[in-house]
Amino acid sequence: MNMQSPVRIGIIGHPLTHTLSPALHTAAAKELHLPLVYGTLDVGNDFLPALISSLRNQKFRGANITIPYKEAVLPLLDEIKDEAASVGAVNTIVNEDGKLIGYNTDVTGIARALDSVRDSIHQKSILILGAGGAARAAAYAVADSCSPQGITIFNRTQNRAENFVRHFQKHFPKMTWEYFRERERLPHAVEESALIINATSVGMSPHSGTSPLPLEIRFSNHQIIFDIIYTPLRTALLKHAETYGAATINGVEMFIHQGARAFELWTGKPLPLALARDTVLKKLKENHKRE
């Protein structure tokens, strides 16, 4: 991409109080001397179609999409790339001369975050909490790169869980796909799972004292707990898991690597990972001191 004149990129979602995407991409653009301006676009559902349409303006290079719009933007775009179509969610939009193309870079971020534990979850059972866009990316990333035995979804809304399982059964028919919505089944589901992924926003600042799992849940030191939330760095779920000796993964690496892939799609240049990591960790420490 020729970036001689300033271009704009934004993150679209609601609410956007604690997003670190502007800090991450602004630091990278400054380091690489790119005229990129990254801002927040906090918008209600009624205004989403008009906002997405406005991205066709040549001043915009694209956008990130976050909660709760990763699925809602699909019909508003001109093209959905294969991985995003397979996931059923978009978190990155690229404006190619007025044509809006949807990608899912969360898949890359989650796969990279799980690099070090891939062998530990091969042919094992996986539990994913949630059935939204992030949960879809998690399911695709794990199924595609880790070859588990099966994936179970816990979500309180039955229709969303049913649609989720039906969608992924088509893409990964050799795997077992199940769902449940009854909270009383959580202890057994957790006990049976080698990897538990929180793909909900429960536990995110400013509600960092909450957890998607009840406190009576017990873990083992053979389990891995992955919380995609990166603010705070140690969520209530991760702290709870650590007391039982379980391995834990926070959302920082996922966040950085999904951002790196998006940055490359927009600019054609690799994002400086060390700088990105330092920027994010510094911001998280600053936020922790203020809270």
Side-chain angles (χ1 to χ4, degrees):
M1 176 194 178
N2 183 2
M3 295 186 68
Q4 299 302 317
S5 56
V7 295
R8 295 184 179 276
I9 297 171
I11 180 166
I12 299 171
H14 180 74
L16 293 174
T17 312
H18 289 81
T19 179
L20 295 185
S21 289
L24 177 104
H25 291 290
T26 298
K30 183 177 180 181
E31 175 75 9
L32 298 176
H33 306 288
L34 297 176
L36 185 153
V37 179
Y38 191 107
T40 56
L41 300 166
D42 193 325
V43 63
N45 189 61
D46 292 345
F47 297 97
L48 183 65
L51 178 57
I52 296 299
S53 182
S54 72
L55 297 178
R56 291 186 172 86
N57 187 304
Q58 290 306 300
K59 291 181 181 179
F60 277 99
R61 177 56 177 156
N64 280 135
I65 308 296
T66 190
I67 296 170
Y69 300 132
K70 293 182 180 184
E71 296 164 83
V73 299
L74 289 169
L76 305 176
L77 304 178
D78 302 308
E79 182 182 346
I80 310 295
K81 285 298 182 181
D82 291 346
E83 200 165 70
S86 297
V87 171
V90 162
N91 80 313
T92 300
I93 298 172
V94 179
N95 176 10
E96 296 285 5
D97 298 320
K99 181 180 181 180
L100 300 183
I101 304 174
Y103 295 82
N104 194 302
T105 71
D106 281 339
V107 172
T108 299
I110 292 168
R112 292 297 301 273
L114 293 173
D115 272 347
S116 63
V117 299
R118 185 170 288 120
D119 292 342
S120 301
I121 57 181
H122 179 72
Q123 289 301 302
K124 300 289 181 61
S125 296
I126 312 300
L127 174 63
I128 297 178
L129 310 177
R136 284 173 168 266
Y140 184 93
V142 172
D144 186 58
S145 64
C146 301
S147 301
Q149 181 181 41
I151 293 180
T152 299
I153 307 302
F154 169 68
N155 193 69
R156 299 301 294 272
T157 306
Q158 183 166 332
N159 286 343
R160 286 182 69 83
E162 284 180 349
N163 292 336
F164 188 115
V165 167
R166 192 179 301 117
H167 176 87
F168 282 101
Q169 281 174 333
K170 296 176 183 177
H171 291 281
F172 300 96
K174 294 182 180 180
M175 281 178 46
T176 301
W177 293 88
E178 299 177 330
Y179 76 89
F180 68 96
R181 58 190 298 269
E182 301 83 10
R183 200 167 175 84
E184 56 269 24
R185 290 179 58 184
L186 275 170
H188 179 71
V190 168
E191 183 182 357
E192 296 295 309
S193 301
L195 170 68
I196 297 98
I197 302 177
N198 175 34
T200 76
S201 60
V202 179
M204 183 185 296
S205 295
H207 306 294
S208 55
T210 60
S211 172
L213 292 177
L215 289 177
E216 60 266 24
I217 290 286
R218 301 175 67 87
F219 300 101
S220 79
N221 57 8
H222 300 297
Q223 290 179 303
I224 303 158
I225 318 302
F226 176 22
D227 200 328
I228 67 166
I229 293 170
Y230 62 87
T231 173
L233 203 55
R234 290 175 68 239
T235 61
L237 173 62
L238 296 186
K239 290 177 182 178
H240 182 56
E242 287 168 359
T243 64
Y244 291 95
T248 60
I249 304 172
N250 61 42
V252 169
E253 289 303 305
M254 173 200 167
F255 174 65
I256 289 170
H257 284 286
Q258 65 79 26
R261 177 63 181 139
F263 188 85
E264 190 169 358
L265 288 169
W266 294 320
T267 69
K269 299 181 182 299
L271 181 140
L273 290 175
L275 172 70
R277 194 172 288 107
D278 288 346
T279 300
V280 170
L281 292 176
K282 182 179 178 181
K283 284 289 183 181
L284 286 172
K285 289 177 182 177
E286 290 175 356
N287 291 346
H288 181 70
K289 288 178 180 178
R290 286 197 295 266
E291 291 178 351

